[in-house]
Amino acid sequence: MCSIKKDKLIIGGRTLNSRLFIGSGKFPSKSIIPSVIESSESEVITMALRRVDLDSKEHNILNFIPKGIQLLPNTSGARTAEEAIRIARLARAMGCGDWVKIEVVRDNKYLLPDNMETIKATEVLAKEGFVVLPYMSPDLMDAKRLVDAGAATVMPLGSPIGSNRGIRTEEMIKIIIDEINIPIIVDAGIGKPSEAAFAMEMGADAVLVNTAIATAQDPVIMGRAFGMAVEAGRLAYEAKLGRVLNRAEASSPLTGFLGDKI
Amino acid sequence: MCSIKKDKLIIGGRTLNSRLFIGSGKFPSKSIIPSVIESSESEVITMALRRVDLDSKEHNILNFIPKGIQLLPNTSGARTAEEAIRIARLARAMGCGDWVKIEVVRDNKYLLPDNMETIKATEVLAKEGFVVLPYMSPDLMDAKRLVDAGAATVMPLGSPIGSNRGIRTEEMIKIIIDEINIPIIVDAGIGKPSEAAFAMEMGADAVLVNTAIATAQDPVIMGRAFGMAVEAGRLAYEAKLGRVLNRAEASSPLTGFLGDKI
Amino acid sequence: MCSIKKDKLIIGGRTLNSRLFIGSGKFPSKSIIPSVIESSESEVITMALRRVDLDSKEHNILNFIPKGIQLLPNTSGARTAEEAIRIARLARAMGCGDWVKIEVVRDNKYLLPDNMETIKATEVLAKEGFVVLPYMSPDLMDAKRLVDAGAATVMPLGSPIGSNRGIRTEEMIKIIIDEINIPIIVDAGIGKPSEAAFAMEMGADAVLVNTAIATAQDPVIMGRAFGMAVEAGRLAYEAKLGRVLNRAEASSPLTGFLGDKI
Amino acid sequence: MCSIKKDKLIIGGRTLNSRLFIGSGKFPSKSIIPSVIESSESEVITMALRRVDLDSKEHNILNFIPKGIQLLPNTSGARTAEEAIRIARLARAMGCGDWVKIEVVRDNKYLLPDNMETIKATEVLAKEGFVVLPYMSPDLMDAKRLVDAGAATVMPLGSPIGSNRGIRTEEMIKIIIDEINIPIIVDAGIGKPSEAAFAMEMGADAVLVNTAIATAQDPVIMGRAFGMAVEAGRLAYEAKLGRVLNRAEASSPLTGFLGDKI
């Protein structure tokens, strides 16, 4: 799988130049979305199906997404596998394409995903030809089950959705990166560009960011910041970071200077 | 001082477009330095005076630094204020310009700076017209003394030189950023682009990176990664990051979807 | 459930004075175990059934456990719910009592538990009258399923077994503590007394420690250290910790002293 | 200095059984102090001289400190070495003994100590026969200067006074512990028993805690919690903690169980 991990990210047969996925919720106005897509250079945007209102030009989020951008409808609102499956099929029928991000959430406070239901939905939808990107609680055994169920990627969370708390599940995500051979996309909780860069340095294949961009004072500039940070983190991963020492190591000659040279 | 902190960084009357300073030590070969300057877009490079050997074309680091790049000779090797002052004057006499990074180190294991000697050297050299950038242990009272002594910036350390241990002095650096009104450059210990971005998000004005770039498997790409990360962190600081929550907050509508729409 | 959380810990109808559970593996010699039980004041000890060799006095771990200590046989070695169930039944038949710690592990590198199989085993064994303490990956939805399956406690991991890496899953464990109303026992990864105290300060009901005690240079003293740290953390939880500030707050009068008094 | 570091802590010729120092500020009532001394088993208590009002029984803190407890008057309120010296002499003249904790603070927001003034005061007072315990910003070179000036201990801060932010200067304190051969007492910022235990596990010789005990809902129980945590951390340091691994290591036999034994 090394060829997938290096160079370009390929998901569902599509080659992506950007490893930043963005969300479409929480923006002060939908009309800012095209500028954020441009500044961030993101090529994938997720949206809740409720926002796809075919009858209304103003309210239909699809009218704000430029051509060529990969739509990633999500099953937000689903509380069971069955509901997620139903939403996914509906999205495809409405012309949103084959990609779907599975979100099955039954916890109203922390909005944590239900892995078991997510695995069930993934299995059904992958068989129906969907490119399935499941949002998950970072658990290795469930990540393996998602691979077996036909997931195109796994999307472990960094911390609760919308919290901007960063990557608090580093230990588990590192293990998933070490053991799972489909693309790993860190989703939820990333609040700063430095955290997005850190995810990429660890070896994640992409990140999804919504709240941190949408609720920034200037979402367009913040989108650009995230786009650059994700690329920086990926470059660092490819250029191989040096070792961490317990003590210092001089960058410059420390002794003999004055005696020798002056 | 807000006008200095925003937009462009101005030090010693010079406007800098890049907020990444780099070092010249530890590279596998000096000949790679021009490519790293180009990829990182850095405009300031520090070097130990020992490396400035005017008689030798091959060994003289100055031959590897493109025109227009700001030289920042450092006093590496100095163990007292007097030695640092002597090296600074020599550097200027040799044509290296007015800028000087004060390094006074008497601790052989962790290579930590001696703030008291550094303050003395800063006071003397600032009066002689040098643009003085002192490397320091992150202490607020000593930072205030450096301001009083005429420092152009303060350069608190993140962790011991060359350790790649990251910003382990965050608590103290944040306080310095909050209280000191000359540019703050985080120097030493930064090992990853995400850490450089984090320093900028905190409100640092610039960072100096040497080991992490020079000892990467591919220093040119790593230089580019750091250049992008520093810019990303700065943009995020300017675009104002959102708040961090203790719980989740939905990006998408979570309830009512199925009932309302289907 | 407040009455369970406060004062005494009650599991399976048994009131426990100590909130430190210990393991029996990895000790330099089994003969040290009684001294560790005494120094740590632990009242619950877990052991792999393999170590229970009824035919051999020297090799049978039961001969090294004082009367009155609660045995907690574990299903170490089980790779499926069925195997765990079989081991649990065998342990009871051999006279090890009704308590069982479910461990179902199919991951050979990180030894992470398989929640789905663990839930299945818990359901069967709880119906058979076992007091079931399941070891789990820290996932809220699966913790809820374990409650529904009849678990007596949940035992989320801090980091991989035997790693001494500490509580790297703090974010998820805090959520479980917030949302689950049966005792929470943090198990695996705790490497230092300070980490055990931290788990208790967060509101965990108990911790299980094995490697950190068994592989210390002096396991008897280390057992005592953990016993005290667990009690300290619990007392702090009950005495209610103060708030954390972003700035300083004087403990002593800072101004006026010299003028007023001298 | 190993003999000092191990077993008992000796400062100024006095052998201390407890490694927890406490402060006397911020308690809801002075009358609770004797109970906190008893529950915490602390043998050293610091107080601002302002609180020593010889003419008033009710307001004089000395009336609330049991015999045998070591008084540690501090120079809180001093903004220069001269003021600190004056307060120390006054305290001795008032019968508070030879010990003095130097606090020189000129920063009104973060209340950070001024190392340079602290060193000057230490030098003068040590020559006058005081047992000098200087509160300091954690800087190795200044710690060396304090040793040279005759300090009995050094007291580096964990985070700003009264903040309960914990040990945020771990990197620098570890270096001081590694390099300085007089007792190291971590002072300021410790907010939880787990943090006190952590300081001791690192090799600190003692900790000073005030706010976290005094502002707890139940200061007497919190005092006990800190007393136990400090002892636990010290025992762990003496019993030598095990290594930290990057992967798991089984506590129990993982394979062969079912096949071999049943």
Side-chain angles (χ1 to χ4, degrees):
Chain A
M1 304 307 289
C2 268
S3 60
I4 283 179
K5 293 229 170 193
K6 282 213 179 147
D7 302 323
K8 300 289 181 180
L9 174 61
I10 301 171
I11 296 176
R14 176 163 181 168
T15 300
L16 299 164
N17 295 298
S18 163
R19 290 167 182 273
L20 172 62
F21 292 18
I22 63 171
S24 58
K26 293 190 181 178
F27 282 96
S29 153
K30 289 192 195 75
S31 61
I32 207 176
I33 291 177
S35 305
V36 171
I37 289 174
E38 194 183 337
S39 70
S40 68
E41 300 185 13
S42 176
E43 295 170 352
V44 180
I45 188 165
T46 187
M47 81 280 290
L49 197 52
R50 168 187 275 261
R51 298 243 166 73
V52 184
D53 181 343
L54 299 180
D55 300 331
S56 157
K57 195 177 166 183
E58 260 176 64
H59 296 298
N60 187 353
I61 186 116
L62 296 183
N63 292 320
F64 298 91
I65 301 176
K67 293 231 163 105
I69 298 301
Q70 174 69 50
L71 299 182
L72 177 57
N74 64 56
T75 66
S76 173
R79 296 175 66 85
T80 61
E82 287 66 35
E83 290 179 2
I85 291 165
R86 208 168 144 200
I87 296 173
R89 288 172 182 161
L90 184 66
R92 185 153 66 176
M94 287 166 78
C96 293
D98 285 338
W99 288 36
V100 64
K101 179 183 167 201
I102 308 286
E103 291 184 32
V104 182
V105 171
R106 297 160 66 195
D107 153 42
N108 291 325
K109 182 166 178 192
Y110 295 102
L111 306 180
L112 295 173
D114 186 319
N115 285 355
M116 209 179 281
E117 293 293 309
T118 301
I119 293 162
K120 282 187 219 165
T122 298
E123 195 161 18
V124 170
L125 293 169
K127 279 190 188 135
E128 295 183 7
F130 282 90
V131 176
V132 184
L133 296 85
Y135 173 54
M136 72 174 304
S137 178
D139 178 278
L140 176 59
M141 302 315 291
D142 288 342
K144 289 184 176 181
R145 287 187 171 98
L146 286 167
V147 172
D148 293 343
T153 70
V154 288
M155 305 184 80
L157 66 91
S159 52
I161 288 180
S163 69
N164 279 347
R165 291 174 65 76
I167 301 178
R168 306 257 174 158
T169 54
E170 173 188 340
E171 186 84 0
M172 295 299 134
I173 289 181
K174 273 187 178 161
I175 290 173
I176 291 173
I177 290 171
D178 193 25
E179 296 280 293
I180 297 293
N181 282 323
I182 61 174
I184 316 295
I185 303 174
V186 179
D187 181 15
I190 293 179
K192 298 174 183 169
S194 59
E195 295 162 0
F198 176 72
M200 301 307 295
E201 290 163 358
M202 284 202 297
D205 296 277
V207 299
L208 191 154
V209 178
N210 185 355
T211 299
I213 295 174
T215 68
Q217 195 170 295
D218 186 332
V220 177
I221 303 232
M222 193 60 84
R224 189 166 165 235
F226 271 97
M228 296 180 80
V230 167
E231 191 173 343
R234 180 66 190 182
L235 289 174
Y237 175 77
E238 290 173 1
K240 299 257 184 296
L241 292 158
R243 79 287 165 280
V244 174
L245 295 181
N246 281 324
R247 42 194 298 169
E249 188 183 86
S251 297
S252 309
L254 280 171
T255 53
F257 178 84
L258 292 169
D260 289 3
K261 300 284 303 178
I262 300 176
Chain B
M1 304 308 288
C2 269
S3 59
I4 283 179
K5 293 230 169 189
K6 281 209 180 153
D7 301 324
K8 299 288 180 181
L9 174 62
I10 301 171
I11 296 176
R14 176 164 182 169
T15 299
L16 298 165
N17 296 297
S18 163
R19 291 167 181 274
L20 171 63
F21 292 17
I22 63 171
S24 58
K26 293 190 180 177
F27 281 95
S29 154
K30 287 192 195 75
S31 61
I32 206 175
I33 290 176
S35 305
V36 170
I37 289 173
E38 194 184 337
S39 69
S40 68
E41 299 186 14
S42 175
E43 296 170 352
V44 182
I45 187 166
T46 188
M47 80 282 290
L49 197 52
R50 169 186 274 260
R51 297 243 165 73
V52 184
D53 182 341
L54 299 179
D55 300 332
S56 156
K57 194 175 166 186
E58 260 175 66
H59 296 298
N60 187 351
I61 186 119
L62 297 183
N63 292 322
F64 297 90
I65 301 176
K67 291 230 163 106
I69 297 301
Q70 175 68 51
L71 298 182
L72 176 57
N74 64 56
T75 67
S76 174
R79 296 176 66 85
T80 62
E82 289 65 36
E83 290 179 2
I85 292 165
R86 205 168 146 200
I87 296 173
R89 289 172 180 160
L90 184 66
R92 185 152 70 174
M94 286 166 79
C96 293
D98 285 339
W99 287 36
V100 64
K101 180 183 165 199
I102 309 286
E103 290 184 31
V104 182
V105 172
R106 298 160 65 197
D107 155 41
N108 291 325
K109 182 165 176 192
Y110 294 102
L111 308 178
L112 295 173
D114 187 318
N115 285 356
M116 209 179 281
E117 293 293 309
T118 300
I119 293 163
K120 282 188 217 165
T122 298
E123 195 160 19
V124 171
L125 293 170
K127 279 189 188 136
E128 294 182 9
F130 282 91
V131 176
V132 184
L133 297 84
Y135 173 55
M136 72 175 303
S137 179
D139 178 278
L140 175 61
M141 303 315 292
D142 289 342
K144 289 183 175 182
R145 288 188 171 97
L146 286 167
V147 172
D148 292 343
T153 70
V154 289
M155 304 183 82
L157 66 90
S159 53
I161 289 180
S163 70
N164 280 347
R165 289 173 68 75
I167 301 178
R168 306 256 176 159
T169 56
E170 173 188 340
E171 186 83 2
M172 296 297 134
I173 290 180
K174 273 186 177 161
I175 291 173
I176 291 174
I177 289 170
D178 193 26
E179 296 281 292
I180 296 294
N181 282 322
I182 60 173
I184 316 297
I185 304 174
V186 178
D187 181 15
I190 292 178
K192 296 175 186 169
S194 58
E195 295 162 0
F198 177 72
M200 302 307 294
E201 288 162 358
M202 283 202 297
D205 296 276
V207 299
L208 192 154
V209 179
N210 186 354
T211 300
I213 295 173
T215 67
Q217 195 171 297
D218 186 332
V220 176
I221 303 234
M222 193 60 85
R224 188 165 166 234
F226 271 97
M228 296 179 81
V230 167
E231 192 174 343
R234 180 66 188 180
L235 289 174
Y237 175 77
E238 291 173 359
K240 298 260 183 292
L241 292 159
R243 77 290 166 278
V244 174
L245 296 181
N246 281 324
R247 43 196 295 170
E249 188 182 84
S251 297
S252 309
L254 280 171
T255 52
F257 178 84
L258 292 169
D260 288 4
K261 301 284 303 178
I262 299 175
Chain C
M1 305 308 286
C2 269
S3 59
I4 284 178
K5 293 231 169 191
K6 282 213 179 147
D7 303 322
K8 299 290 180 178
L9 174 61
I10 300 171
I11 296 177
R14 177 165 181 167
T15 301
L16 298 165
N17 296 297
S18 164
R19 289 166 181 276
L20 172 62
F21 292 17
I22 62 171
S24 57
K26 291 190 182 179
F27 282 96
S29 154
K30 287 191 197 77
S31 60
I32 208 176
I33 291 177
S35 305
V36 170
I37 289 174
E38 194 183 338
S39 70
S40 67
E41 299 187 11
S42 175
E43 295 170 351
V44 181
I45 187 165
T46 187
M47 82 279 293
L49 197 53
R50 169 187 272 260
R51 296 241 167 74
V52 183
D53 182 341
L54 299 180
D55 300 331
S56 156
K57 195 176 166 185
E58 261 176 64
H59 296 298
N60 186 351
I61 186 118
L62 297 182
N63 292 321
F64 297 91
I65 301 177
K67 292 230 163 104
I69 298 301
Q70 175 69 50
L71 299 181
L72 179 55
N74 64 55
T75 66
S76 173
R79 296 176 68 85
T80 62
E82 289 65 35
E83 290 179 2
I85 292 165
R86 202 169 147 200
I87 296 173
R89 288 172 181 161
L90 184 66
R92 185 152 70 175
M94 285 168 79
C96 293
D98 285 339
W99 288 36
V100 65
K101 180 183 167 201
I102 308 286
E103 290 184 32
V104 182
V105 172
R106 296 160 64 195
D107 154 41
N108 292 325
K109 182 165 178 194
Y110 295 102
L111 306 179
L112 295 173
D114 187 318
N115 285 356
M116 208 178 283
E117 294 292 309
T118 300
I119 293 162
K120 281 188 219 165
T122 297
E123 195 160 17
V124 170
L125 292 170
K127 279 190 190 136
E128 295 182 6
F130 282 91
V131 176
V132 184
L133 296 84
Y135 174 55
M136 72 175 302
S137 181
D139 179 278
L140 176 59
M141 302 315 291
D142 288 342
K144 289 183 176 181
R145 287 187 172 99
L146 286 167
V147 172
D148 292 344
T153 71
V154 289
M155 304 183 80
L157 65 91
S159 54
I161 289 180
S163 69
N164 280 347
R165 290 173 68 77
I167 301 177
R168 307 257 174 157
T169 55
E170 174 188 340
E171 186 83 1
M172 294 299 133
I173 289 181
K174 273 186 176 160
I175 291 173
I176 291 174
I177 289 171
D178 193 25
E179 296 280 292
I180 297 293
N181 281 321
I182 59 173
I184 315 297
I185 303 174
V186 178
D187 181 16
I190 292 180
K192 296 174 185 170
S194 59
E195 295 162 1
F198 176 71
M200 301 307 295
E201 289 162 358
M202 283 202 297
D205 296 277
V207 300
L208 193 155
V209 179
N210 186 356
T211 300
I213 295 174
T215 67
Q217 194 170 297
D218 186 331
V220 176
I221 304 235
M222 194 59 87
R224 188 165 165 234
F226 272 96
M228 296 179 80
V230 167
E231 192 174 342
R234 180 66 189 182
L235 289 174
Y237 175 77
E238 290 173 1
K240 297 259 184 296
L241 293 158
R243 79 287 165 278
V244 174
L245 296 180
N246 281 325
R247 44 194 297 168
E249 188 183 85
S251 298
S252 309
L254 280 171
T255 55
F257 178 84
L258 291 170
D260 289 2
K261 302 281 305 177
I262 300 173
Chain D
M1 302 308 287
C2 269
S3 60
I4 283 178
K5 293 232 170 191
K6 281 212 180 151
D7 302 323
K8 300 289 180 178
L9 173 62
I10 300 170
I11 296 176
R14 175 164 182 169
T15 300
L16 298 165
N17 295 298
S18 164
R19 291 166 181 275
L20 172 63
F21 293 17
I22 63 171
S24 57
K26 292 190 182 178
F27 282 97
S29 155
K30 288 191 195 76
S31 60
I32 208 176
I33 291 178
S35 305
V36 171
I37 290 174
E38 194 184 336
S39 71
S40 68
E41 300 186 11
S42 175
E43 295 170 350
V44 181
I45 186 164
T46 188
M47 82 279 292
L49 198 51
R50 167 187 276 260
R51 298 241 166 74
V52 184
D53 181 341
L54 299 180
D55 300 331
S56 157
K57 195 175 165 184
E58 261 175 65
H59 296 299
N60 187 350
I61 187 123
L62 296 183
N63 292 320
F64 297 90
I65 301 177
K67 294 231 162 103
I69 298 301
Q70 175 68 50
L71 299 181
L72 178 57
N74 64 56
T75 67
S76 173
R79 295 176 67 85
T80 63
E82 289 64 36
E83 290 180 2
I85 292 165
R86 205 168 145 200
I87 296 173
R89 287 173 182 160
L90 184 66
R92 184 151 71 175
M94 286 168 79
C96 293
D98 285 339
W99 287 37
V100 65
K101 180 183 166 201
I102 309 286
E103 291 185 32
V104 182
V105 171
R106 297 160 65 196
D107 154 41
N108 292 325
K109 181 166 178 193
Y110 294 103
L111 306 178
L112 295 174
D114 186 319
N115 285 355
M116 209 178 281
E117 293 293 309
T118 300
I119 293 162
K120 282 187 220 165
T122 297
E123 194 159 19
V124 170
L125 292 170
K127 278 190 188 137
E128 295 182 7
F130 282 90
V131 176
V132 184
L133 296 85
Y135 173 55
M136 72 175 303
S137 179
D139 178 278
L140 176 60
M141 302 315 290
D142 288 342
K144 289 183 176 181
R145 287 185 172 99
L146 286 167
V147 172
D148 292 344
T153 70
V154 289
M155 303 183 83
L157 67 90
S159 54
I161 289 180
S163 70
N164 280 348
R165 290 173 68 76
I167 301 177
R168 306 260 175 155
T169 56
E170 174 187 341
E171 186 85 0
M172 294 299 134
I173 289 180
K174 273 187 178 159
I175 291 174
I176 290 173
I177 289 171
D178 193 26
E179 295 280 293
I180 297 293
N181 282 320
I182 62 174
I184 316 297
I185 303 175
V186 178
D187 182 14
I190 293 179
K192 296 175 185 168
S194 60
E195 295 161 1
F198 177 72
M200 301 306 295
E201 289 163 358
M202 284 201 298
D205 296 278
V207 300
L208 192 153
V209 178
N210 185 357
T211 299
I213 295 174
T215 68
Q217 193 170 297
D218 186 333
V220 177
I221 302 229
M222 194 60 86
R224 188 165 167 234
F226 272 97
M228 295 180 80
V230 167
E231 191 174 343
R234 180 65 189 183
L235 289 174
Y237 175 76
E238 291 174 0
K240 298 258 185 295
L241 293 158
R243 79 287 165 278
V244 175
L245 297 181
N246 282 324
R247 45 195 296 171
E249 188 182 84
S251 298
S252 309
L254 281 170
T255 53
F257 179 84
L258 292 170
D260 287 5
K261 300 286 303 179
I262 300 174

